[in-house]
Amino acid sequence: MDDVMKDRVEQLVDYIMKKCLWQFHSRAWDRERQNEEILTKTMQLLCGEPVETATPADRCYWVDAVCMSEAFKERYPWLNTMDKEDIKSLMRGLKERIDYLTITGSLNKELHDTLY
Amino acid sequence: MPHHLFKCSECIPERKKHAVIKGPGENLTDALPLGYLNTIPGSISERGCAYCGAKHVIGTPMKDVIHISHGPVGCTYDTWQTKRYISDNDNFQLKYTYATDMKEKHIVFGAEKLLKKNIIEAFQAFPDIKRMTIYQTCASALIGDDINAIAQEVMDELPDVDIFVCNSPGFAGPSQSGGHHKINIAWIDQKVGTVEPKITSDYVINYVGEYNIQGDQEVMLDYFKRMGIQVLSTFTGNGSYDDLRAMHRAHLNVLECARSAEYICNELRVRYGIPRLDIDGFGFEPLSTSLRKIGLFFGIEDRAQAIIEEETARWKPELDWYKERLKGKKVCLWPGGSKLWHWANVIHEEMGVEVVSVYTKFGHQGDMEKGIARCEAGALAIDDPNELEGLEAMQMLKPDVIFTGKRPGEVAKKIRVPYLNAHAYHNGPYKGFEGWVRFARDIYNAIYSPIHKLAFIDISKDEIETEKTFVTQKMLSDATLSEEVTASTHLREYTGKYDSVTELSKKTYPDFPSPKQAAAV
C-alpha cells in the first residue's frame, strides 16, 4: 500500500474511532463479525453494488454502513475521485487496520472470555 | 506503553498499569490501561460493589416494583435516592426502599423466615404493587439463605404477585459492573419470555441501557413516538416489570449504555435473533445519526429526518452560543463508565472544550478503548482511580471543570475546581437536542460562576477590588469575545423551561397508517 493510500486509510480509521461504536463489541468473535459485515456493506455501498438487507441482522449492519458511507463521501472528497477497484483496495486496507486495532493488536484482555 | 505512575501511588507500583497518557500518533494498541480488575489493596477506590451495580444502577429504575434488599439496612440506605432515575408513576421506586434489616442473630440462625415476613409485609403495605425484586447482599449470600425458595413459596401463596431474585452480592465482582452483568443475565434467564405483549406498531424496539436520569428516557421516547415506533420496554429507566418480561418480541434492541446492558442485548441476539444497534443519545450529530439509523432500519428515515431538522433549527443556535464561550476550556471527564465514551469526542466537537483526562471508576478495557479512541492526544486515561490520584491529576492538568460523581466532585470543590454531576446531572435531562443545550448551560454556569471566582480570594491577605461592585457570568465569559459574537442576533442563551420533561407526557402523537394494514386493504 502506498503512502497516499495509507494516509487515506488512517483518515477513515480516525472517523470510525471517533464517531462509531459498532467496532467495539465486547468479544473477539463479535468484533470479527461486526467488522466483516459492516465494512463489506460499506464497500458495496461506496461501489454502487447491491447490498443484502433481507434479515433483521443484515438491516442492522446496513444502517451503520449507510451512515458511514455517506459520512465518508461528505468528509473525504478524494473518495469521489476513486474508481471501484481503488475503493475496494482502500476498504480492504481499512478492514485490515480495524481488525488489527480492535482484535489482533488489541490490548483488551476480555476479548476472548467465552461468556458474555 | 505510555503508562503513568502518580507520585502519590509510588507506594503502590501496580497502579502504574492503570493509567496511560495517549501520546501523539499513538493508538489503542499502544495506550490502554488495565481494567475491571480487583482494586489493589491500599488504593482507596471510588468504586461501588456488585450489589450496588445490580440494584442501584439497573434494578431500581424499574418503576412498579418493590425493591427489597435481603441484608443489613446500610446496604439499602446507601443505594437509595442517590441517583435521579425518575418515573412517571410518581417516582414510586425513588420514594420507597425496603430492607430485611439483617442483624448478627440472623447471621447465626439464618434469615429466611425474616425474609418471608418482610416480603409479605411489603406487599400488604403497598397492595397496588404486585411485583418485587429481591437483592441478595454479602451477608445473606455468605450464610446461604435460599432466596429463590422463599420467593417461590410466596408466589405460591400469593398467585397475583411475581418476584425476581437477583443474586449479586457485593463481593460478586471487582466493581458495580459485576452486578450489571449478573442482573442482565438473571433477568433474561428468569423473566424474559414470560409475558406476551400487545404489539401496536410495525416498528418495535427495546430501548436498552437507559435509566431515565432526570427524564432522559422520556425525551428519547418522545422522538421514538414521533417516528411511530413502539417502545416495548426500556431496560430499565421508567421501565415496567411486565414490559421487560416481553423484551423477546422487539424487532431491534437500541443500546445506549453498552457497559451496563450489552449483556442482555448479546443474549437477546443469540436466543431470539434480535439485532443490537449501539447508539449515542448525547450531542446533536451523534443523536441525529442514531435517530437516522433507527429510521433506516424500519424504512422510515424521513420521519427521523423531520425530527432532526426541526430540533436542530430550534436548539443549535443556543448550543453555539455556549460553544463560543466554552472553546478551549479544559475538562476532566471522570464518570463511572459509559459517559466516558459517549461524551469524549462530542463535547470537544460541539462545545469546543478540550478533554484533558478521562477516567472510569468501574469500566472495562472495552470502555477505555472507546474513550481513548474518541479523545484527543495528550489525554490522561485512568482506570479505577483513587482520591489522591484525582487530586494529583487536577493539580497537574488544571481543568476548568470536571464531570464526575458527587463524592469526587466534592473533593474537587475543595481545591477550587467546579464539578458537574455526570451520573445524576445538575439540571438535566442531558439527552436529546434540548438536553444537550442544558448540559452546555450547566458547564457554562459552572465555569463562569462569579461565586466560584470569589473562592480563589483569601480575604486575610489578597487585595479586594473595589471598582467592581458586582460581576455576572456574561461579564466574565464575554470579556475576550469579538463583537461579532457578542452582538450576534443568531446565537442565543438557553430559552427552554426549568422543567423540560413533564409536558412531554401531555403530548399527542401522529397516528401513522400501518403499511401492513394498508397492504391488506
Side-chain angles (χ1 to χ4, degrees):
Chain A
M1 195 184 299
D2 63 23
D3 287 348
V4 172
M5 197 63 110
K6 269 187 192 166
D7 176 64
R8 288 176 173 182
V9 165
E10 285 310 313
Q11 288 181 58
L12 302 185
V13 166
D14 188 61
Y15 175 86
I16 290 169
M17 287 295 169
K18 292 213 165 81
K19 305 287 181 187
C20 302
L21 293 169
W22 53 259
Q23 73 279 20
F24 284 126
H25 280 211
S26 56
R27 298 292 180 261
W29 62 87
D30 284 329
R31 291 185 180 193
E32 284 163 12
R33 188 197 63 245
Q34 292 286 110
N35 295 356
E36 175 63 37
E37 293 284 351
I38 291 166
L39 290 171
T40 299
K41 283 178 163 54
T42 305
M43 181 271 290
Q44 289 166 337
L45 288 165
L46 289 172
C47 293
E49 295 175 356
V51 182
E52 186 58 62
T53 57
T55 67
D58 278 328
R59 285 190 73 78
C60 197
Y61 304 131
W62 172 74
V63 301
D64 268 317
V66 169
C67 291
M68 197 160 62
S69 60
E70 286 174 359
F72 283 176
K73 283 192 276 194
E74 189 184 323
R75 284 163 186 260
Y76 310 112
W78 44 257
L79 195 59
N80 302 311
T81 67
M82 294 170 79
D83 63 28
K84 265 191 195 187
E85 282 316 304
D86 282 346
I87 290 173
K88 286 185 179 181
S89 170
L90 174 79
M91 292 303 288
R92 274 195 298 273
L94 178 62
K95 167 83 166 49
E96 279 171 24
R97 189 74 181 135
I98 293 292
D99 278 349
Y100 172 71
L101 291 171
T102 61
I103 305 166
T104 54
S106 173
L107 301 167
N108 184 342
K109 295 179 188 300
E110 282 183 54
L111 287 187
H112 302 285
D113 191 321
T114 54
L115 301 172
Y116 285 128
Chain B
M1 173 71 77
H3 284 128
H4 177 77
L5 180 62
F6 288 92
K7 283 190 174 60
C8 64
S9 292
E10 283 172 354
C11 55
I12 321 171
E14 302 96 318
R15 282 292 306 156
K16 185 176 180 179
K17 290 186 176 174
H18 290 263
V20 301
I21 294 175
K22 180 186 178 183
E26 287 181 336
N27 62 50
L28 294 177
T29 63
D30 307 305
L32 189 71
L34 294 178
Y36 196 55
L37 297 170
N38 287 335
T39 295
I40 300 158
S43 180
I44 308 298
S45 174
E46 293 174 359
R47 286 169 161 179
C49 66
Y51 151 84
C52 172
K55 175 182 186 265
H56 179 47
V57 176
I58 294 185
T60 318
M62 286 193 208
K63 64 187 176 187
D64 47 6
V65 181
I66 290 168
H67 296 279
I68 191 165
S69 299
H70 187 34
V73 74
C75 300
T76 305
Y77 183 81
D78 286 340
T79 54
W80 179 39
Q81 281 203 341
T82 56
K83 212 166 179 183
R84 299 163 180 153
Y85 35 70
I86 60 175
S87 63
D88 59 10
N89 66 337
D90 201 25
N91 298 311
F92 175 78
Q93 80 296 341
L94 271 181
K95 281 180 175 176
Y96 302 103
T97 193
Y98 311 76
T100 53
D101 194 18
M102 278 177 72
K103 299 197 186 309
E104 286 88 339
K105 68 177 181 184
H106 303 114
I107 302 295
V108 177
F109 299 109
E112 290 179 1
K113 285 183 186 147
L114 175 80
L115 172 63
K116 185 171 180 180
K117 182 168 168 283
N118 269 272
I119 294 171
I120 290 166
E121 275 181 9
F123 277 127
Q124 285 171 341
F126 295 92
D128 296 338
I129 302 293
K130 301 295 181 189
R131 301 291 177 258
M132 175 181 284
T133 298
I134 306 172
Y135 302 92
Q136 192 182 39
T137 61
C138 295
S140 51
L142 285 167
I143 63 170
D145 272 359
D146 191 344
I147 298 174
N148 290 74
I150 301 297
Q152 193 56 55
E153 260 181 49
V154 173
M155 285 192 280
D156 292 341
E157 291 172 25
L158 306 171
D160 59 342
V161 306
D162 196 85
I163 300 173
F164 168 54
V165 176
C166 174
N167 289 314
S168 178
F171 56 75
S175 69
Q176 51 264 64
S177 194
H180 304 160
H181 189 177
K182 283 200 169 340
I183 196 170
N184 269 243
I185 301 303
W187 186 261
I188 193 165
D189 281 347
Q190 292 179 48
K191 296 299 172 190
V192 172
T194 58
V195 159
E196 284 303 320
K198 183 170 183 267
I199 301 296
T200 59
S201 169
D202 292 336
Y203 319 116
V204 185
I205 66 170
N206 292 314
Y207 188 28
V208 184
E210 163 55 56
Y211 303 104
N212 202 32
I213 305 299
Q214 287 200 20
D216 273 354
Q217 183 253 13
E218 289 158 88
V219 169
M220 294 296 285
L221 242 60
D222 173 56
Y223 301 143
F224 297 144
K225 288 177 187 169
R226 283 155 73 179
M227 289 167 69
I229 292 170
Q230 179 186 2
V231 180
L232 203 54
S233 72
T234 303
F235 188 90
T236 54
N238 200 27
S240 168
Y241 185 101
D242 282 358
D243 290 346
L244 284 154
R245 293 164 78 185
M247 289 179 88
H248 60 298
R249 292 298 180 208
H251 305 146
L252 178 69
N253 284 318
V254 174
L255 176 61
E256 190 83 64
C257 176
R259 180 65 283 135
S260 62
E262 68 175 6
Y263 317 99
I264 199 162
C265 284
N266 291 340
E267 292 294 344
L268 285 162
R269 187 178 60 76
V270 172
R271 300 183 198 191
Y272 298 98
I274 307 168
R276 158 187 164 178
L277 181 68
D278 294 49
I279 68 157
D280 279 303
F282 297 102
F284 279 50
E285 188 200 4
L287 173 56
S288 300
T289 306
S290 299
L291 292 175
R292 193 148 178 273
K293 284 177 186 174
I294 297 163
L296 277 163
F297 182 86
F298 291 117
I300 51 173
E301 58 269 33
D302 55 325
R303 299 179 194 176
Q305 198 56 41
I307 293 169
I308 293 161
E309 285 168 14
E310 180 188 336
E311 296 284 332
T312 303
R314 169 66 181 87
W315 297 109
K316 190 70 165 47
E318 301 188 10
L319 180 69
D320 289 344
W321 189 93
Y322 291 103
K323 183 180 181 179
E324 290 292 345
R325 287 152 179 85
L326 295 176
K327 272 180 193 168
K329 294 297 177 186
K330 291 193 289 183
V331 169
C332 285
L333 178 50
W334 288 351
S338 67
K339 291 187 184 80
L340 148 76
W341 40 268
H342 274 311
W343 292 354
N345 177 251
V346 70
I347 56 175
H348 173 65
E349 291 212 350
E350 297 192 354
M351 298 185 196
V353 300
E354 301 297 330
V355 178
V356 293
S357 177
V358 291
Y359 86 32
T360 172
K361 292 177 178 64
F362 57 77
H364 299 228
Q365 285 183 296
D367 297 285
M368 266 301 187
E369 283 181 305
K370 294 179 199 175
I372 290 173
R374 286 183 162 195
C375 65
E376 302 301 310
L380 167 63
I382 320 165
D383 165 69
D384 185 20
N386 60 51
E387 187 176 301
L388 294 177
E389 289 174 349
L391 282 166
E392 191 176 312
M394 284 187 276
Q395 278 148 358
M396 179 173 87
L397 300 166
K398 298 186 171 41
D400 294 290
V401 64
I402 70 170
F403 307 147
T404 191
K406 59 194 170 303
R407 286 165 300 180
E410 295 304 321
V411 172
K413 281 184 192 173
K414 289 178 183 175
I415 60 166
R416 312 292 191 270
V417 177
Y419 101 96
L420 286 181
N421 192 325
H423 308 302
Y425 305 160
H426 270 63
N427 300 287
Y430 289 165
K431 269 188 184 146
F433 296 91
E434 180 179 2
W436 200 236
V437 179
R438 291 171 77 95
F439 184 30
R441 179 194 57 172
D442 277 357
I443 301 171
Y444 173 83
N445 284 342
I447 290 174
Y448 291 109
S449 160
I451 299 294
H452 174 65
K453 302 291 176 231
L454 284 176
F456 287 94
I457 297 171
D458 181 346
I459 58 171
S460 70
K461 60 181 176 61
D462 290 343
E463 202 159 313
I464 309 296
E465 280 188 57
T466 52
E467 288 85 67
K468 287 182 186 168
T469 50
F470 71 92
V471 177
T472 65
Q473 283 147 308
K474 214 180 279 191
M475 286 164 70
L476 295 169
S477 68
D478 290 11
T480 57
L481 292 179
S482 68
E483 194 178 338
E484 186 191 357
V485 173
T486 55
S488 168
T489 53
H490 172 67
L491 304 178
R492 59 180 185 262
E493 286 182 80
Y494 178 63
T495 57
K497 293 178 178 172
Y498 171 74
D499 175 359
S500 63
V501 176
T502 304
E503 284 186 3
L504 294 175
S505 61
K506 299 173 192 146
K507 280 180 74 169
T508 53
Y509 292 94
D511 189 15
F512 294 104
S514 160
K516 285 179 187 169
Q517 288 169 346
V521 173

